[in-house]
Amino acid sequence: MTDENIANHLKSLKKYTPARIGVGRTGTRPLTKDFLSFRTDHAAAVDAVYGEVSSKLIEELDLFSVETCYETKDHYLKRPDKGRILSEEAKTIIKEKCTPNPQVQIVVSDGLSASAIDENILDVYPALLDSLSMYGLNIGTPFFVKGGRVACMDDIGEILAPEAFILLIGERPGLVCAHSLSAYMCYQPKKGMKESDRMVISNIHRSGTPAIEAAAHMGTLISKMLDQKKSGVGLVI
Amino acid sequence: MYKKTTLLGITYEFHSLKEIMAKANEEKSGDELAGISAENMKERMAARAVLAETTLSDIRSYPVVAPEKDDVSKLIEENVNEEIYGVIKNWTVADLREYILNDEHLSKELLQIGTGLTSEMIAAVTKIMSNLDLIQAASKITVITHCQTKIGQKGVLASRAQPNHPSDHLAGIRASLFEALSYGIGDAVIGINPVIDTTDNIYALLNETKEVIDRFDIPTQNCVLSHISSQMRAIEKGAPADMIFQSLAGTQTGNESFGISISMLEEATSLIFEKGTAEGQNRWYFETGQGSELSADAHFDVDQLTLESRCYGLAKHFNPFIVNTVVGFIGPEYLYDSKQVIRAGLEDHFMGKIHGLPMGVDVCYTNHMSADQNDMDNLSTLLSTAGVNFVIGVPMADDCMLNYQSLSFHDIATLRNVLGVSAAPEFADWLKKQGLTISSGQLTKQAGDPSFFL
């Protein structure tokens, strides 16, 4: 095969998969640009895990901020249980600032990717408010939870007793995308709730599920939860 | 079992074998999460001192999970070779360590002793072995298995090609597989983790991999790593599978959380022998990994190393072709950083080998774990010197479906080159015939180019 032929064949193989193929080698090792690009993607993923959500952004969205019992990032990673419960201080602030028993409670949390919030929240959050208002739903006082895990929605549910709940949280970063956001939803969150009662829209980012589409889908799901008074596998969509 | 010891002027009391076993472990975040680890380094050493003096018969007398309540315990108990056990039952764990490391005792002796040990005894001795102890001991043991081809020979480093795709796109999978083969990767198995766990999809993936194997006459075997029940449905419909796969846990409750039971594994064994496409006597592929029982709340306060060892006790019953621990996949709440992952990789490999298993390791990490590719360079080098049966390769170490990093095809080719080990014999011959390697195993100019197979 001529070099040009090989290049064309490689191109035809590469179009079928996002895997890093057709990269070539020097000796048995990869070429420098591919090696550095792989390490760069990993660096972005690590920075997303260890990063902090911009406080300016939280202010801009008019959210107040509370913390779980996670204490430090290292502890957060070692003890997922601590990210599921709110600190005593957080509970007091939430009780003080939030309207209890709202129809829909929205909470934003960094989770495993601070950059998921930084990159997406300005697209997703306003679109979500629009989508919920189209269904004429009343929305509780939204806030930001630092060091949250998905099940922190249960602890918050115990305090505010919302009818439906939406948690926008950063996903564990991959090398393809370090800033993917998930929206976890459920009906009447409370302690000991089954994982199968939660519903999720994942992969929300600019080259994944677009913000507008995700927000519209969340609105539909929430209104169905409120109609059918349940969430999870039993919800008829 | 109650034990007391004094170390550096402090007296330590232990109230059960389970407590001693947990506290004797190297530091693991999963044992901390379970609330069973030693409080400090001195207590850890006190537990090891006590464990070293514990006899094998004591370990057998105090099961960490009662066999009446757990079928994994029952199976391990029933599979002990009583004749061998009878000879060694009064040995202490320290005696066992020294027998294993004695240079008069080679593969045959170690494999024979292994048949008289329970998985808990193997876990116990592992806890009082250093990383180099684990490498030395494992390197003496040779386990050769036969599915379509044979792997496990001394001086062989085999590999699984893992050409996953985020939507199971067949042409995409084929492209990644061509890349793997062009680096000499795929002699242990061509194994795909599917996204879609339906019978039709599993059928299509088995067919696709078999077609490539047949077209190029590749001496290897195929497997699709879905739940056992969807593989069984596909195989019953006539899908060509050389092996059948399942993830295992070290307790009955853990296996129930995976949706499996021992009787299901037995049923699958009959099916793969009846309808499988391979010839050899080893038709299973198992994956395991420290921490999975705790994550399913099925750990009964037993430490993750002991539970991992019990997975091997279960696996052994089914004479698998390959077994690997997916060591760094589970996350930092079980293995926090590279130090813990490297330790766990060496522990799992040794424990598997002395159980008599064809042990491989998925040398890997996730992005929320404190580890990077350099750590995988280190662990894969250590494991290759320890004689690991196989490792796993994905394009540039980045699995674009499972979103974690393993080894690259380049890495495996490099390990073979640096350590003077080779692909499995039949596969090595095939590579030479294809013009991808020369006699020394070194890659030719044509190698490393997937379009070679177009």
Side-chain angles (χ1 to χ4, degrees):
Chain A
M1 259 193 298
T2 64
D3 285 356
E4 199 186 333
N5 268 339
I6 290 178
N8 284 338
H9 277 125
L10 272 182
K11 226 159 115 191
S12 76
L13 285 173
K14 285 170 92 155
K15 79 173 182 238
Y16 296 118
T17 176
R20 296 168 200 251
I21 63 163
V23 293
R25 63 193 176 92
T26 173
T28 56
R29 303 308 294 156
L31 301 180
T32 311
K33 73 173 168 31
D34 301 303
F35 165 66
L36 292 180
S37 123
F38 165 75
R39 291 301 302 263
T40 302
D41 292 341
H42 181 245
V46 172
D47 285 352
V49 172
Y50 285 91
E52 300 230 341
V53 172
S54 144
S55 52
K56 233 178 84 198
L57 195 59
I58 297 170
E59 268 170 46
E60 209 174 309
L61 294 170
D62 208 15
L63 305 176
F64 67 89
S65 180
V66 294
E67 294 191 3
T68 64
C69 293
Y70 82 102
E71 294 171 21
T72 63
K73 198 56 108 172
D74 284 349
H75 201 235
Y76 172 80
L77 292 170
K78 281 185 181 170
R79 294 293 301 270
D81 53 323
K82 298 289 182 188
R84 294 180 193 129
I85 45 177
L86 296 164
S87 71
E88 285 308 314
E89 195 194 352
K91 288 182 191 166
T92 314
I93 298 174
I94 291 170
K95 274 183 208 154
E96 201 180 276
K97 296 202 172 184
C98 293
T99 313
N101 314 107
Q103 232 176 342
V104 186
Q105 176 68 47
I106 303 175
V107 171
V108 178
S109 183
D110 44 6
L112 281 164
S113 172
S115 44
I117 305 300
D118 283 350
E119 296 284 326
N120 301 297
I121 201 70
L122 285 181
D123 298 332
V124 176
Y125 186 72
L128 176 59
L129 295 184
D130 284 351
S131 167
L132 294 176
S133 68
M134 262 177 43
Y135 287 93
L137 301 174
N138 91 61
I139 301 166
T141 321
F143 56 94
F144 176 77
V145 175
K146 200 172 169 192
R149 295 272 180 179
V150 172
C152 75
M153 57 207 292
D154 304 356
D155 214 23
I156 300 168
E158 293 287 328
I159 303 172
L160 293 176
E163 211 174 333
F165 197 110
I166 303 177
L167 174 68
L168 302 171
I169 189 167
E171 288 173 13
R172 191 182 93 189
L175 291 204
V176 175
C177 177
H179 52 263
S180 184
L181 186 77
S182 277
Y184 281 85
M185 288 155 284
C186 72
Y187 184 74
Q188 291 185 345
K190 53 183 166 294
K191 286 266 171 206
M193 101 173 267
K194 283 187 297 193
E195 291 307 315
S196 56
D197 285 338
R198 299 187 218 281
M199 308 183 87
V200 64
I201 300 173
S202 58
N203 203 29
I204 305 171
H205 57 96
R206 266 166 222 153
S207 17
T209 309
I212 304 276
E213 198 179 299
H217 192 189
M218 282 184 243
T220 314
L221 281 179
I222 292 290
S223 77
K224 286 191 193 284
M225 284 180 200
L226 295 173
D227 285 347
Q228 297 174 34
K229 299 195 181 307
K230 62 181 160 194
S231 58
V233 281
L235 190 77
V236 183
I237 304 169
Chain B
M1 193 168 97
Y2 172 81
K3 295 261 179 171
K4 199 160 99 171
T5 191
T6 302
L7 187 77
L8 302 174
I10 304 170
T11 302
Y12 296 91
E13 286 180 82
F14 302 100
H15 300 89
S16 67
L17 177 67
K18 203 152 83 170
E19 184 189 358
I20 296 166
M21 293 279 269
K23 290 185 169 170
N25 265 352
E26 289 288 350
E27 192 178 323
K28 305 268 175 66
S29 50
D31 291 334
E32 280 164 25
L33 180 64
I36 55 174
S37 61
E39 246 167 63
N40 51 44
M41 294 303 280
K42 280 191 299 220
E43 193 190 17
R44 178 164 291 130
M45 287 317 298
R48 282 187 195 152
V50 166
L51 185 60
E53 293 311 309
T54 302
T55 62
L56 301 184
S57 68
D58 267 346
I59 294 178
R60 201 165 179 196
S61 311
Y62 296 94
V64 292
V65 185
E68 304 81 52
K69 289 184 190 156
D70 182 285
D71 59 11
V72 178
S73 296
K74 190 160 166 273
L75 189 82
I76 292 169
E77 182 57 32
E78 285 169 0
N79 282 340
V80 172
N81 178 332
E82 297 295 346
E83 205 181 316
I84 302 286
Y85 172 73
V87 178
I88 61 175
K89 65 179 179 188
N90 293 324
W91 286 10
T92 62
V93 177
D95 293 334
L96 177 60
R97 174 180 173 276
E98 285 156 25
Y99 182 91
I100 290 169
L101 294 171
N102 184 321
D103 52 17
E104 282 173 19
H105 303 142
L106 300 174
S107 190
K108 184 169 150 256
E109 288 78 17
L110 298 191
L111 287 170
Q112 192 176 43
I113 281 290
T115 64
L117 299 172
T118 63
S119 300
E120 287 80 359
M121 295 170 197
I122 289 172
V125 74
T126 303
K127 289 161 200 275
I128 58 163
M129 290 170 78
S130 76
N131 286 7
L132 197 51
D133 286 354
L134 297 170
I135 292 172
Q136 165 75 81
S139 75
K140 295 199 281 185
I141 303 173
T142 305
V143 180
I144 298 170
T145 48
H146 181 198
C147 183
Q148 192 71 285
T149 63
K150 284 185 184 163
I151 68 164
Q153 302 84 345
K154 201 104 191 141
V156 166
L157 174 64
S159 57
R160 165 180 164 194
Q162 184 171 297
N164 293 341
H165 187 280
S167 59
D168 290 341
H169 190 281
L170 293 181
I173 285 172
R174 201 180 316 136
S176 279
L177 176 55
F178 286 170
E179 174 96 354
L181 294 169
S182 77
Y183 282 86
I185 310 308
D187 43 346
V189 62
I190 295 166
I192 296 165
N193 301 88
V195 181
I196 308 150
D197 198 356
T198 59
T199 311
D200 287 351
N201 190 52
I202 306 310
Y203 191 106
L205 293 171
L206 283 166
N207 234 355
E208 172 64 26
T209 44
K210 198 62 172 180
E211 222 172 82
V212 173
I213 290 174
D214 288 346
R215 193 160 114 215
F216 297 100
D217 209 11
I218 309 168
T220 186
Q221 30 278 313
N222 71 340
C223 190
V224 173
L225 290 77
S226 68
H227 191 269
I228 188 182
S229 51
S230 56
Q231 290 170 81
M232 287 172 75
R233 282 194 296 270
I235 293 167
E236 259 159 18
K237 274 185 148 184
D242 292 324
M243 263 186 285
I244 193 156
F245 166 85
Q246 182 55 45
S247 291
L248 297 181
T251 62
Q252 180 177 342
T253 324
N255 285 317
E256 282 164 5
S257 82
F258 287 162
I260 59 159
S261 62
I262 291 179
S263 63
M264 272 174 86
L265 297 175
E266 275 160 356
E267 211 181 303
T269 307
S270 313
L271 181 70
I272 196 72
F273 273 92
E274 190 193 332
K275 299 206 163 163
T277 35
E279 295 173 351
Q281 286 309 297
N282 308 107
R283 309 274 185 98
W284 269 105
Y285 178 5
F286 292 122
E287 278 192 340
T288 65
Q290 291 191 27
S292 60
E293 297 81 6
L294 175 59
S295 107
D297 198 18
H299 63 296
F300 306 102
D301 289 331
V302 178
D303 68 90
Q304 62 188 36
L305 179 71
T306 303
L307 292 170
E308 179 70 8
S309 188
R310 288 164 52 93
C311 293
Y312 305 144
L314 172 60
K316 186 170 90 167
H317 186 71
F318 295 95
N319 298 315
F321 177 65
I322 44 176
V323 180
N324 70 262
T325 167
V326 194
V327 68
F329 188 71
I330 190 156
E333 61 267 46
Y334 304 95
L335 293 169
Y336 180 65
D337 57 12
S338 52
K339 183 174 176 173
Q340 295 187 9
V341 169
I342 288 171
R343 173 72 194 176
L346 296 174
E347 289 170 343
D348 294 355
H349 175 243
F350 163 73
M351 293 197 298
K353 281 280 166 76
I354 194 143
H355 272 90
L357 289 173
M359 197 65 196
V361 176
D362 187 359
V363 177
C364 64
Y365 62 109
T366 60
N367 292 321
H368 61 324
M369 178 176 267
S370 183
D372 64 25
Q373 203 63 33
N374 285 332
D375 299 311
M376 302 305 109
D377 289 358
N378 295 349
L379 178 56
S380 58
T381 308
L382 294 174
L383 283 165
S384 300
T385 59
V388 69
N389 276 37
F390 74 105
V391 289
I392 293 181
V394 291
M396 283 298 287
D398 172 14
D399 189 307
C400 60
M401 191 286 268
L402 291 171
N403 273 320
Y404 78 125
Q405 287 85 248
S406 181
L407 297 181
S408 68
F409 304 142
H410 300 80
D411 293 339
I412 299 168
T414 308
L415 290 166
R416 285 175 178 163
N417 189 293
V418 170
L419 298 167
V421 291
S422 69
E426 296 153 79
F427 193 84
D429 286 345
W430 176 81
L431 287 172
K432 231 181 311 174
K433 230 184 285 164
Q434 295 292 313
L436 290 169
T437 57
I438 54 171
S439 299
S440 66
Q442 197 151 347
L443 298 177
T444 61
K445 262 207 163 100
Q446 282 81 6
D449 172 7
S451 66
F452 178 86
F453 291 98
L454 288 179

